[in-house]
Amino acid sequence: MERDETTGTGLPASEPPGQGLPLVGLKVIDFSELAPGPFLTRCLRDLGAEIDKVERPARDGALSTHPGTYRVLNDGKRIHVLDLKTPDGLARAAELVAGADVLVEGFRPGVMDRLGLGYGTLAERHPGLVYVSISGFGQEGPLSRIPGHDLNYLAASGLLGLMGELDGPPALGVGAPVGDLLGAVYALSSTLTALLTRKDTGRGRHLDVSITDCLTHGMNMVIGQLQADGRASLREAREAVFTRPAYGVFETADGEYLSIAALEEHFWQRTVAALDLDLSGLDTATLGDRRRNTREINARIAAAVRGRDVKSLTETLEAADVPVMRVLSPLELADSPHARERGLFTSAGDIGYVRFPVRIGDEA
């Protein structure tokens, strides 16, 4: 069974990406679904690569559960609906692999080997192939065979333990699949590295991208500080992370939310002056003093913020050169002055989405 399709109504898959992009001519075959692999290949597409995406007859699960997400991640890719359990489906997949520079797969470890599409087999026929395996816990290890989603990877990396409120349980996350996206970005950088080294060696590599490992790597700064401070328990770690005076989200008089981040001494002094904060009875001379009084300081900031509307507060704090930003809804992003000025948004038909965010200038 095979059915070829294009997705979205943006750049058709049959049309080559814009000339001048750095990865024009690169051919990628994508066996992944949901978020991590498709986000990686979306980025590669945005950089000029041609993407052939293989989907099982039941299709990518995101198509039924999150159709808008599916369209954003897969716009402009050539979609091949193949039954890899049949000889014809496998034969067609093998043809696609033969012309590819990069293969991306997101199955559980062992599945591609059973299909005859594992790295060991393909590398013999296509030694230059960069083979990217994205999984929750890696190709090997005690967790490699168990199922998982973003929440589980956050839990395994220690990051979930630092989410939420100090006196509450760990939160459910931040509203976006942080692990899936971070894993895809690590996969992107590693893929580009492998392609760079292939120029000298002529050989590809097998990239074992564990989403949990990527999240854990991102915890290095926190781990280092907790060790230096002698923090031992999760409670102590949460206290260290959440003890941030003049750093938080505060509700304004008109029901909006304002983020203020004034940890450094100069920002702190400007915040006190701009909000005309009453600090009587509090020792705030140093950051250490302010940390010991975090709750009361933030309570007084909250009281000051509650008395004013978000527009006047933002203008006042910006004029004082304080790090401040109104909390935006995701649906406001496309119309924000920042997004408009930076030209961040493009579209797939009636679905707007953000282009690859790094501006790659012309050659000197």
Side-chain angles (χ1 to χ4, degrees):
M1 173 185 181
E2 179 182 356
R3 187 165 72 254
D4 288 359
E5 303 179 0
T6 58
T7 61
T9 54
L11 185 65
S14 57
E15 181 179 327
Q19 298 303 307
L21 292 172
L23 298 185
V24 166
L26 188 77
K27 298 185 182 300
V28 179
I29 181 166
D30 182 1
F31 288 90
S32 66
E33 60 179 67
L34 299 176
F39 188 77
L40 162 62
T41 54
R42 167 80 268 172
C43 291
L44 291 170
R45 170 69 180 173
D46 289 343
L47 292 171
E50 297 176 29
I51 315 296
D52 285 280
K53 185 169 188 286
V54 173
E55 295 185 9
R56 53 202 170 99
R59 304 300 303 272
D60 183 330
L63 184 59
S64 58
T65 60
H66 298 87
T69 298
Y70 176 88
R71 288 177 60 187
V72 166
L73 292 182
N74 296 292
D75 178 48
K77 301 175 184 177
R78 282 185 293 263
I79 307 299
H80 307 267
V81 181
L82 303 177
D83 186 349
L84 297 180
K85 296 179 180 178
T86 67
D88 288 346
L90 278 175
R92 177 57 180 145
E95 291 177 7
L96 293 169
V97 172
D101 298 289
V102 177
L103 181 152
V104 177
E105 64 94 6
F107 294 111
R108 289 201 209 185
V111 171
M112 289 291 274
D113 286 322
R114 289 197 297 273
L115 291 170
L117 297 171
Y119 176 71
T121 299
L122 295 182
E124 292 181 1
R125 305 175 200 160
H126 315 292
L129 182 68
V130 174
Y131 192 108
V132 187
S133 295
I134 303 180
S135 64
F137 302 105
Q139 298 301 297
E140 298 175 345
L143 303 177
S144 62
R145 304 287 171 158
I146 69 171
H149 276 299
D150 200 77
L151 184 68
N152 309 118
Y153 313 142
L154 290 171
S157 70
L159 185 55
L160 187 65
L162 302 181
M163 293 182 177
E165 298 294 332
L166 175 58
D167 295 320
L172 286 178
V174 298
V178 176
D180 290 350
L181 302 179
L182 189 65
V185 172
Y186 271 93
L188 174 63
S189 61
S190 301
T191 298
L192 298 177
T193 299
L195 289 170
L196 186 63
T197 59
R198 188 181 70 169
K199 287 186 175 181
D200 295 327
T201 67
R203 300 195 63 83
R205 294 171 184 262
H206 185 197
L207 305 179
D208 176 3
V209 182
S210 158
I211 294 172
T212 298
D213 292 0
C214 295
L215 283 167
T216 305
H217 183 253
M219 290 286 287
N220 268 339
M221 291 184 293
V222 175
I223 293 169
Q225 189 57 49
L226 294 177
Q227 290 176 340
D229 290 347
R231 308 277 181 166
S233 67
L234 177 58
R235 171 68 188 189
E236 290 176 328
R238 289 169 64 80
E239 285 178 343
V241 169
F242 288 110
T243 304
R244 293 180 177 181
Y247 191 103
V249 176
F250 306 92
E251 187 173 5
T252 62
D254 46 352
E256 298 280 353
Y257 292 94
L258 203 62
S259 66
I260 298 173
L263 282 178
E264 295 92 337
E265 185 66 29
H266 56 289
F267 289 139
W268 162 251
Q269 295 293 345
R270 294 168 191 169
T271 301
V272 171
L275 296 178
D276 193 22
L277 279 182
D278 175 11
L279 299 174
S280 57
L282 292 178
D283 187 357
T284 62
T286 68
L287 178 57
D289 296 328
R290 295 195 292 275
R291 285 187 186 278
R292 285 188 289 274
N293 290 288
T294 291
R295 290 187 182 226
E296 183 58 31
I297 288 172
N298 286 347
R300 295 190 190 190
I301 293 175
V305 169
R306 273 197 301 271
R308 298 176 60 176
D309 66 89
V310 71
K311 184 174 185 297
S312 68
L313 264 172
T314 302
E315 291 173 350
T316 297
L317 291 170
E318 283 183 348
D321 198 30
V322 170
V324 60
M325 186 60 57
R326 183 172 74 86
V327 177
L328 297 180
S329 157
L331 297 176
E332 295 180 273
L333 296 178
D335 292 325
S336 73
H338 175 80
R340 289 199 305 269
E341 179 68 22
R342 297 285 296 175
L344 285 180
F345 276 78
T346 183
S347 65
D350 59 340
I351 301 285
Y353 65 93
V354 181
R355 61 163 174 78
F356 190 76
V358 180
R359 290 183 173 182
I360 302 175
D362 295 335
E363 295 180 42

Tab-separated table of all heavy atoms in Angstrom, residues 6-7 10-18 21-24 26 28 38-52 72-78 188 353 356:
chain	number	residue	atom	x	y	z
A	6	THR	N	0.887	15.661	-0.379
A	6	THR	CA	1.551	16.837	0.172
A	6	THR	C	0.675	17.352	1.282
A	6	THR	O	-0.511	17.049	1.338
A	6	THR	CB	1.749	17.944	-0.889
A	6	THR	OG1	0.479	18.298	-1.415
A	6	THR	CG2	2.654	17.470	-1.997
A	7	THR	N	1.262	18.091	2.202
A	7	THR	CA	0.495	18.552	3.350
A	7	THR	C	0.460	20.060	3.391
A	7	THR	O	1.386	20.732	2.968
A	7	THR	CB	1.120	18.061	4.660
A	7	THR	OG1	2.437	18.596	4.750
A	7	THR	CG2	1.196	16.572	4.717
A	10	GLY	N	0.824	25.631	2.189
A	10	GLY	CA	1.958	26.544	2.095
A	10	GLY	C	2.825	26.100	0.932
A	10	GLY	O	2.349	25.809	-0.151
A	11	LEU	N	4.106	26.017	1.132
A	11	LEU	CA	5.023	25.598	0.083
A	11	LEU	C	4.772	24.142	-0.271
A	11	LEU	O	4.909	23.265	0.564
A	11	LEU	CB	6.468	25.759	0.555
A	11	LEU	CG	7.562	25.475	-0.470
A	11	LEU	CD1	7.497	26.494	-1.581
A	11	LEU	CD2	8.920	25.496	0.206
A	12	PRO	N	4.326	23.827	-1.506
A	12	PRO	CA	4.047	22.428	-1.862
A	12	PRO	C	5.311	21.588	-1.804
A	12	PRO	O	6.412	22.073	-2.069
A	12	PRO	CB	3.536	22.528	-3.316
A	12	PRO	CG	3.162	23.964	-3.506
A	12	PRO	CD	4.079	24.747	-2.620
A	13	ALA	N	5.122	20.314	-1.469
A	13	ALA	CA	6.286	19.437	-1.348
A	13	ALA	C	6.958	19.206	-2.688
A	13	ALA	O	8.128	18.898	-2.756
A	13	ALA	CB	5.861	18.114	-0.741
A	14	SER	N	6.202	19.340	-3.775
A	14	SER	CA	6.789	19.109	-5.092
A	14	SER	C	7.670	20.274	-5.521
A	14	SER	O	8.443	20.173	-6.453
A	14	SER	CB	5.679	18.902	-6.123
A	14	SER	OG	4.805	20.017	-6.141
A	15	GLU	N	7.544	21.410	-4.841
A	15	GLU	CA	8.347	22.587	-5.186
A	15	GLU	C	9.594	22.614	-4.322
A	15	GLU	O	9.518	22.448	-3.113
A	15	GLU	CB	7.519	23.844	-4.942
A	15	GLU	CG	8.234	25.139	-5.291
A	15	GLU	CD	7.347	26.342	-5.041
A	15	GLU	OE1	6.121	26.205	-5.228
A	15	GLU	OE2	7.872	27.395	-4.648
A	16	PRO	N	10.765	22.807	-4.918
A	16	PRO	CA	11.987	22.828	-4.098
A	16	PRO	C	11.984	24.012	-3.149
A	16	PRO	O	11.387	25.044	-3.432
A	16	PRO	CB	13.106	22.938	-5.136
A	16	PRO	CG	12.456	23.543	-6.336
A	16	PRO	CD	11.043	23.049	-6.340
A	17	PRO	N	12.661	23.881	-2.015
A	17	PRO	CA	12.765	25.002	-1.089
A	17	PRO	C	13.471	26.178	-1.749
A	17	PRO	O	14.119	26.054	-2.786
A	17	PRO	CB	13.598	24.436	0.070
A	17	PRO	CG	13.525	22.954	-0.076
A	17	PRO	CD	13.372	22.702	-1.540
A	18	GLY	N	13.334	27.350	-1.118
A	18	GLY	CA	13.926	28.559	-1.676
A	18	GLY	C	15.424	28.422	-1.899
A	18	GLY	O	16.148	27.925	-1.047
A	21	LEU	N	19.105	28.812	0.573
A	21	LEU	CA	19.082	28.241	1.915
A	21	LEU	C	20.230	27.238	2.049
A	21	LEU	O	20.603	26.564	1.084
A	21	LEU	CB	17.742	27.559	2.186
A	21	LEU	CG	16.542	28.502	2.297
A	21	LEU	CD1	15.245	27.705	2.373
A	21	LEU	CD2	16.674	29.418	3.504
A	22	PRO	N	20.797	27.094	3.241
A	22	PRO	CA	22.045	26.325	3.370
A	22	PRO	C	21.924	24.837	3.099
A	22	PRO	O	22.926	24.199	2.776
A	22	PRO	CB	22.465	26.582	4.829
A	22	PRO	CG	21.233	27.044	5.524
A	22	PRO	CD	20.428	27.762	4.504
A	23	LEU	N	20.729	24.263	3.242
A	23	LEU	CA	20.611	22.806	3.074
A	23	LEU	C	19.900	22.408	1.784
A	23	LEU	O	19.448	21.263	1.654
A	23	LEU	CB	19.870	22.202	4.274
A	23	LEU	CG	20.556	22.368	5.635
A	23	LEU	CD1	19.782	21.606	6.713
A	23	LEU	CD2	22.002	21.891	5.602
A	24	VAL	N	19.805	23.318	0.826
A	24	VAL	CA	19.211	22.963	-0.461
A	24	VAL	C	19.995	21.811	-1.080
A	24	VAL	O	21.229	21.821	-1.107
A	24	VAL	CB	19.202	24.183	-1.407
A	24	VAL	CG1	18.916	23.746	-2.846
A	24	VAL	CG2	18.168	25.195	-0.961
A	26	LEU	N	19.876	18.724	0.146
A	26	LEU	CA	19.932	17.652	1.144
A	26	LEU	C	18.615	16.892	1.130
A	26	LEU	O	17.539	17.478	1.167
A	26	LEU	CB	20.170	18.237	2.536
A	26	LEU	CG	20.440	17.212	3.638
A	26	LEU	CD1	21.875	16.702	3.536
A	26	LEU	CD2	20.194	17.822	5.016
A	28	VAL	N	16.180	14.048	2.939
A	28	VAL	CA	15.918	13.457	4.249
A	28	VAL	C	14.701	12.551	4.153
A	28	VAL	O	13.684	12.921	3.553
A	28	VAL	CB	15.645	14.562	5.301
A	28	VAL	CG1	15.352	13.949	6.669
A	28	VAL	CG2	16.819	15.533	5.380
A	38	PRO	N	9.351	14.899	13.731
A	38	PRO	CA	8.793	15.869	12.788
A	38	PRO	C	9.245	17.306	13.039
A	38	PRO	O	9.390	18.085	12.093
A	38	PRO	CB	7.274	15.711	12.990
A	38	PRO	CG	7.122	14.266	13.349
A	38	PRO	CD	8.302	13.985	14.245
A	39	PHE	N	9.487	17.683	14.307
A	39	PHE	CA	9.999	19.029	14.571
A	39	PHE	C	11.424	19.161	14.031
A	39	PHE	O	11.787	20.186	13.454
A	39	PHE	CB	9.967	19.339	16.066
A	39	PHE	CG	10.311	20.770	16.396
A	39	PHE	CD1	9.381	21.774	16.201
A	39	PHE	CD2	11.558	21.112	16.878
A	39	PHE	CE1	9.688	23.102	16.492
A	39	PHE	CE2	11.887	22.428	17.168
A	39	PHE	CZ	10.937	23.431	16.974
A	40	LEU	N	12.239	18.120	14.210
A	40	LEU	CA	13.587	18.121	13.636
A	40	LEU	C	13.526	18.284	12.127
A	40	LEU	O	14.216	19.137	11.546
A	40	LEU	CB	14.302	16.817	14.000
A	40	LEU	CG	15.534	16.457	13.158
A	40	LEU	CD1	16.625	17.506	13.289
A	40	LEU	CD2	16.053	15.073	13.531
A	41	THR	N	12.717	17.474	11.457
A	41	THR	CA	12.676	17.542	9.998
A	41	THR	C	11.973	18.807	9.510
A	41	THR	O	12.244	19.268	8.399
A	41	THR	CB	12.028	16.275	9.403
A	41	THR	OG1	10.740	16.046	9.988
A	41	THR	CG2	12.905	15.059	9.660
A	42	ARG	N	11.090	19.380	10.318
A	42	ARG	CA	10.525	20.697	10.000
A	42	ARG	C	11.641	21.733	9.948
A	42	ARG	O	11.701	22.578	9.046
A	42	ARG	CB	9.509	21.069	11.066
A	42	ARG	CG	9.021	22.518	11.114
A	42	ARG	CD	7.972	22.798	10.076
A	42	ARG	NE	8.539	23.296	8.847
A	42	ARG	CZ	7.859	23.473	7.729
A	42	ARG	NH1	6.578	23.141	7.671
A	42	ARG	NH2	8.427	23.951	6.657
A	43	CYS	N	12.550	21.689	10.933
A	43	CYS	CA	13.688	22.621	10.945
A	43	CYS	C	14.591	22.394	9.734
A	43	CYS	O	15.050	23.354	9.095
A	43	CYS	CB	14.488	22.458	12.233
A	43	CYS	SG	13.631	23.018	13.726
A	44	LEU	N	14.855	21.134	9.420
A	44	LEU	CA	15.687	20.833	8.251
A	44	LEU	C	15.022	21.336	6.975
A	44	LEU	O	15.682	21.870	6.071
A	44	LEU	CB	15.947	19.327	8.162
A	44	LEU	CG	16.846	18.736	9.259
A	44	LEU	CD1	16.829	17.216	9.198
A	44	LEU	CD2	18.278	19.256	9.139
A	45	ARG	N	13.702	21.185	6.898
A	45	ARG	CA	12.949	21.696	5.751
A	45	ARG	C	13.079	23.219	5.651
A	45	ARG	O	13.313	23.779	4.577
A	45	ARG	CB	11.479	21.284	5.899
A	45	ARG	CG	10.503	21.943	4.917
A	45	ARG	CD	10.706	21.477	3.499
A	45	ARG	NE	9.756	22.135	2.606
A	45	ARG	CZ	9.778	22.038	1.285
A	45	ARG	NH1	10.681	21.284	0.706
A	45	ARG	NH2	8.910	22.678	0.549
A	46	ASP	N	12.936	23.896	6.809
A	46	ASP	CA	13.049	25.350	6.825
A	46	ASP	C	14.426	25.815	6.373
A	46	ASP	O	14.574	26.942	5.878
A	46	ASP	CB	12.778	25.889	8.225
A	46	ASP	CG	11.319	25.768	8.624
A	46	ASP	OD1	10.472	25.582	7.726
A	46	ASP	OD2	11.018	25.859	9.829
A	47	LEU	N	15.428	24.964	6.540
A	47	LEU	CA	16.792	25.306	6.135
A	47	LEU	C	17.104	24.871	4.702
A	47	LEU	O	18.231	25.024	4.243
A	47	LEU	CB	17.794	24.671	7.101
A	47	LEU	CG	17.778	25.264	8.513
A	47	LEU	CD1	18.636	24.427	9.452
A	47	LEU	CD2	18.261	26.713	8.502
A	48	GLY	N	16.100	24.313	4.013
A	48	GLY	CA	16.267	24.017	2.597
A	48	GLY	C	16.220	22.566	2.193
A	48	GLY	O	16.217	22.257	1.000
A	49	ALA	N	16.214	21.638	3.150
A	49	ALA	CA	16.233	20.212	2.811
A	49	ALA	C	14.896	19.757	2.227
A	49	ALA	O	13.850	20.357	2.477
A	49	ALA	CB	16.568	19.391	4.050
A	50	GLU	N	14.957	18.687	1.449
A	50	GLU	CA	13.742	18.038	0.936
A	50	GLU	C	13.410	16.871	1.856
A	50	GLU	O	14.272	16.042	2.138
A	50	GLU	CB	13.958	17.547	-0.489
A	50	GLU	CG	14.249	18.649	-1.496
A	50	GLU	CD	14.544	18.093	-2.875
A	50	GLU	OE1	14.014	17.005	-3.206
A	50	GLU	OE2	15.329	18.734	-3.602
A	51	ILE	N	12.167	16.801	2.294
A	51	ILE	CA	11.759	15.789	3.275
A	51	ILE	C	10.742	14.837	2.670
A	51	ILE	O	9.692	15.259	2.183
A	51	ILE	CB	11.138	16.436	4.536
A	51	ILE	CG1	11.974	17.621	5.013
A	51	ILE	CG2	10.966	15.387	5.622
A	51	ILE	CD1	13.363	17.294	5.476
A	52	ASP	N	11.058	13.546	2.694
A	52	ASP	CA	10.097	12.485	2.383
A	52	ASP	C	9.715	11.822	3.698
A	52	ASP	O	10.580	11.260	4.385
A	52	ASP	CB	10.701	11.452	1.428
A	52	ASP	CG	10.786	11.973	0.012
A	52	ASP	OD1	9.758	11.953	-0.676
A	52	ASP	OD2	11.878	12.412	-0.395
A	72	VAL	N	1.360	22.078	10.972
A	72	VAL	CA	2.505	22.966	11.166
A	72	VAL	C	3.823	22.204	11.018
A	72	VAL	O	4.763	22.670	10.363
A	72	VAL	CB	2.427	23.647	12.540
A	72	VAL	CG1	3.749	24.287	12.906
A	72	VAL	CG2	1.314	24.683	12.558
A	73	LEU	N	3.897	21.016	11.618
A	73	LEU	CA	5.147	20.263	11.605
A	73	LEU	C	5.436	19.619	10.254
A	73	LEU	O	6.602	19.346	9.947
A	73	LEU	CB	5.121	19.182	12.687
A	73	LEU	CG	5.139	19.671	14.140
A	73	LEU	CD1	5.170	18.488	15.085
A	73	LEU	CD2	6.334	20.588	14.398
A	74	ASN	N	4.410	19.369	9.457
A	74	ASN	CA	4.614	18.576	8.246
A	74	ASN	C	4.288	19.297	6.953
A	74	ASN	O	4.323	18.696	5.887
A	74	ASN	CB	3.794	17.280	8.348
A	74	ASN	CG	4.274	16.416	9.496
A	74	ASN	OD1	5.377	15.879	9.478
A	74	ASN	ND2	3.456	16.295	10.536
A	75	ASP	N	3.994	20.583	7.042
A	75	ASP	CA	3.741	21.365	5.843
A	75	ASP	C	4.952	21.303	4.910
A	75	ASP	O	6.097	21.481	5.332
A	75	ASP	CB	3.466	22.822	6.235
A	75	ASP	CG	3.235	23.699	5.024
A	75	ASP	OD1	2.447	23.305	4.153
A	75	ASP	OD2	3.851	24.781	4.949
A	76	GLY	N	4.691	21.026	3.647
A	76	GLY	CA	5.763	21.043	2.659
A	76	GLY	C	6.558	19.767	2.533
A	76	GLY	O	7.490	19.702	1.735
A	77	LYS	N	6.228	18.750	3.318
A	77	LYS	CA	6.915	17.463	3.197
A	77	LYS	C	6.132	16.562	2.238
A	77	LYS	O	4.913	16.649	2.152
A	77	LYS	CB	7.013	16.769	4.561
A	77	LYS	CG	7.759	17.564	5.627
A	77	LYS	CD	7.703	16.871	6.986
A	77	LYS	CE	8.363	17.694	8.070
A	77	LYS	NZ	8.253	17.068	9.404
A	78	ARG	N	6.843	15.696	1.559
A	78	ARG	CA	6.165	14.676	0.759
A	78	ARG	C	5.795	13.523	1.699
A	78	ARG	O	6.679	12.964	2.361
A	78	ARG	CB	7.057	14.165	-0.369
A	78	ARG	CG	7.149	15.097	-1.554
A	78	ARG	CD	7.953	14.457	-2.683
A	78	ARG	NE	9.344	14.292	-2.300
A	78	ARG	CZ	10.311	15.149	-2.626
A	78	ARG	NH1	10.025	16.241	-3.318
A	78	ARG	NH2	11.554	14.937	-2.261
A	188	LEU	N	19.046	18.176	15.854
A	188	LEU	CA	19.379	19.049	14.723
A	188	LEU	C	20.857	19.407	14.733
A	188	LEU	O	21.549	19.275	13.710
A	188	LEU	CB	18.522	20.316	14.792
A	188	LEU	CG	18.845	21.393	13.754
A	188	LEU	CD1	18.600	20.887	12.343
A	188	LEU	CD2	18.018	22.656	14.026
A	353	TYR	N	2.209	29.852	11.622
A	353	TYR	CA	3.222	29.249	12.478
A	353	TYR	C	4.539	30.002	12.320
A	353	TYR	O	4.693	30.843	11.429
A	353	TYR	CB	3.406	27.760	12.180
A	353	TYR	CG	3.955	27.425	10.806
A	353	TYR	CD1	5.323	27.249	10.609
A	353	TYR	CD2	3.103	27.253	9.717
A	353	TYR	CE1	5.827	26.931	9.360
A	353	TYR	CE2	3.592	26.941	8.467
A	353	TYR	CZ	4.953	26.779	8.290
A	353	TYR	OH	5.451	26.469	7.060
A	356	PHE	N	11.688	29.183	10.875
A	356	PHE	CA	12.925	28.873	11.579
A	356	PHE	C	13.462	30.178	12.161
A	356	PHE	O	13.608	31.171	11.447
A	356	PHE	CB	13.951	28.246	10.631
A	356	PHE	CG	15.147	27.683	11.337
A	356	PHE	CD1	15.058	26.474	12.016
A	356	PHE	CD2	16.361	28.363	11.348
A	356	PHE	CE1	16.152	25.952	12.673
A	356	PHE	CE2	17.461	27.852	12.008
A	356	PHE	CZ	17.357	26.638	12.676
